Amino acid sequence: MSYTASSALAIFGAPAQRDPRVVRRVIRAGGWTGHTSGLVPQYVQGNVVILPSAHADDFLRYCQRNPKPCPVLAVSEPGDHRLPVLGTDLDIRSDVPRYRVYRAGRLVEERADITELWRSDLVAFVLGCSFSFEQALIDAGIRLRHVELGCNVAMYRTNIETVFAGPFHGPLVVSMRPLSASAAIRAIGITSRFAAVHGAPVHLGDPALIGIADLSVPDYGDSVEVHADEIPVFWACGVTPSLAIERARLELCITHVPGKMLVTDLSNAALASS
Amino acid sequence: MSYTASSALAIFGAPAQRDPRVVRRVIRAGGWTGHTSGLVPQYVQGNVVILPSAHADDFLRYCQRNPKPCPVLAVSEPGDHRLPVLGTDLDIRSDVPRYRVYRAGRLVEERADITELWRSDLVAFVLGCSFSFEQALIDAGIRLRHVELGCNVAMYRTNIETVFAGPFHGPLVVSMRPLSASAAIRAIGITSRFAAVHGAPVHLGDPALIGIADLSVPDYGDSVEVHADEIPVFWACGVTPSLAIERARLELCITHVPGKMLVTDLSNAALASS
């Protein structure tokens, strides 16, 4: 964590001054393959899913039916590696620090560039991620334990099924942040305004009501303590579409490596509804 | 409850069609001294506090320091019985169904009109009340148990002290509504937009954290059950300023009888921030 932060400081300068276009240019040149959490704090980062166009319509319908876990920020034209709405120079083949390549539902390799794998039928989806609303919470003075501990947020599979579309289906996955009641109330008000990045929580309080047996054993990420005067608050999580894609066992699918996201030119503040 | 509703139907017609100016005119003429909950569903109702001007500045500062329990909708000029911002024809001496008159902090009488008691130094305050946000919750499809049971909302004194101003001080009083987690999350999002009528909740979950020993024994109103899959959600309550006024033991103070509120021409929807 500190290694990453100090490397980032050497390469990119002070966080508040960083230009997302410069950050993408460094990533494009292979100069950064690390995590992107906190890398450009005021700008939106996205989850990336790249699919053959034969499955793109089904996946877009899956996202439309499950907007909280799958908030679509942008979709490319088939075969087009650009996403100008997220950055005029953006090239989805090279601007993610590290990619995962799945074939027939199996992870076959990780790589820093997918230009060689690009095809005229590939469609790129960029989905909102919780970094944006976490920044809004931190800016509002709400302390997030996993951020303060420098660990990953705790994530859990729930007993809530997403609405399927074509081959895409699976359980809703949630991230959990322990908050005092007053912080939880403020956090709900704030994240309600960020529909493009998971929006308001999907649950709070008793984890058993959504099929979570033990909060201390997350399915993904790191466990954090919930203090006696705190309530666990659960938001829909971007791991949900990853699970749905795995289960769909597509001929080819390319995603980002978790935590190594696409940096865009959209400001987090611009995502908030009024 | 049904008696009141059927009387109201005979006098005022169907709720959705009612004109707040007509309702006030009937009240002014002594034709309605009952409760006003649900009487003109789309319009704002207010808590009324009338004080000698010698104490008005202190009371306004008390409200300013405690905006959640004491959201000020309007303040009259000293001696002026009009509040044109709430209704061009509004007369605060006659337009409340029933008044309480306190002298030296003691309730000395209830009456339907205070024109005879009016003085050139009296100042009228109208404070927002939860009827407005309850209507917004109901309109959003959120079920409120006390409304469905036709009873009063459960209210509790907390161990949270309000910020004093002059002689005004006392505990924060809260109202409690049991909600499922998903309804609680939506209710927080909705009431966050209604700062003029208590705004977002002040607490949720464990009642002991705000000094409430037993939810089944409210200090005011009626107890309602909290089901196993529900969370108690607590909003700041207009009883808070009433307690502060009692404790101040003013020479003269006039309020509405609880539940018999001032009907205004403001629409509830207009109170919502965007």
Side-chain angles (χ1 to χ4, degrees), chain A residues 120-144:
Chain A
S120 64
D121 69 333
L122 291 182
V123 177
F125 290 78
V126 180
L127 309 182
C129 104
S130 59
F131 290 174
S132 296
F133 79 68
E134 287 190 341
Q135 189 60 43
L137 297 177
I138 292 166
D139 289 347
I142 294 171
R143 299 174 64 173
L144 301 176

Side-chain angles (χ1 to χ4, degrees), chain A residues 72-263:
Chain A
V72 178
L73 292 177
V75 187
S76 74
E77 293 299 312
D80 194 346
H81 51 77
R82 297 170 306 167
L83 284 156
V85 71
L86 302 182
T88 48
D89 69 323
L90 197 151
D91 186 334
I92 198 66
R93 303 170 302 179
S94 53
D95 288 7
V96 170
R98 204 152 173 85
Y99 298 83
R100 280 188 173 168
V101 181
Y102 294 85
R103 296 192 187 272
R106 282 187 44 239
L107 175 63
V108 293
E109 63 170 328
E110 284 192 11
R111 49 196 297 162
D113 191 293
I114 57 160
T115 304
E116 287 175 24
L117 306 179
W118 194 254
R119 303 186 334 200
S120 64
D121 69 333
L122 291 182
V123 177
F125 290 78
V126 180
L127 309 182
C129 104
S130 59
F131 290 174
S132 296
F133 79 68
E134 287 190 341
Q135 189 60 43
L137 297 177
I138 292 166
D139 289 347
I142 294 171
R143 299 174 64 173
L144 301 176
R145 187 152 302 134
H146 71 284
V147 173
E148 299 196 343
L149 294 174
C151 66
N152 202 346
V153 73
M155 294 168 273
Y156 306 85
R157 280 192 296 269
T158 70
N159 63 4
I160 303 167
E161 274 296 303
T162 58
V163 185
F164 83 96
F168 301 104
H169 69 285
L172 175 68
V173 179
V174 294
S175 60
M176 187 280 288
R177 293 162 187 81
L179 295 170
S180 70
S182 65
I185 290 163
R186 294 181 59 226
I188 291 166
I190 291 166
T191 55
S192 295
R193 300 175 59 223
F194 283 89
V197 285
H198 302 313
V202 294
H203 185 63
L204 54 78
D206 187 356
L209 291 173
I210 55 170
I212 300 171
D214 185 350
L215 274 188
S216 69
V217 188
D219 294 303
Y220 313 95
D222 301 313
S223 163
V224 296
E225 205 184 337
V226 181
H227 297 166
D229 61 349
E230 292 178 329
I231 290 174
V233 185
F234 301 89
W235 277 268
C237 171
V239 172
T240 310
S242 303
L243 277 196
I245 288 162
E246 258 182 53
R247 290 175 178 213
R249 301 183 185 284
L250 307 183
E251 161 243 327
L252 173 66
C253 175
I254 303 170
T255 68
H256 64 292
V257 167
K260 304 185 177 185
M261 324 290 283
L262 177 70
V263 171

Side-chain angles (χ1 to χ4, degrees), chain A residues 181 185 188 200-204 231 274, chain B residues 181 185 188 201-204 231 274:
Chain A
I185 290 163
I188 291 166
V202 294
H203 185 63
L204 54 78
I231 290 174
S274 61
Chain B
I185 290 164
I188 291 167
V202 294
H203 185 62
L204 54 78
I231 290 173
S274 59

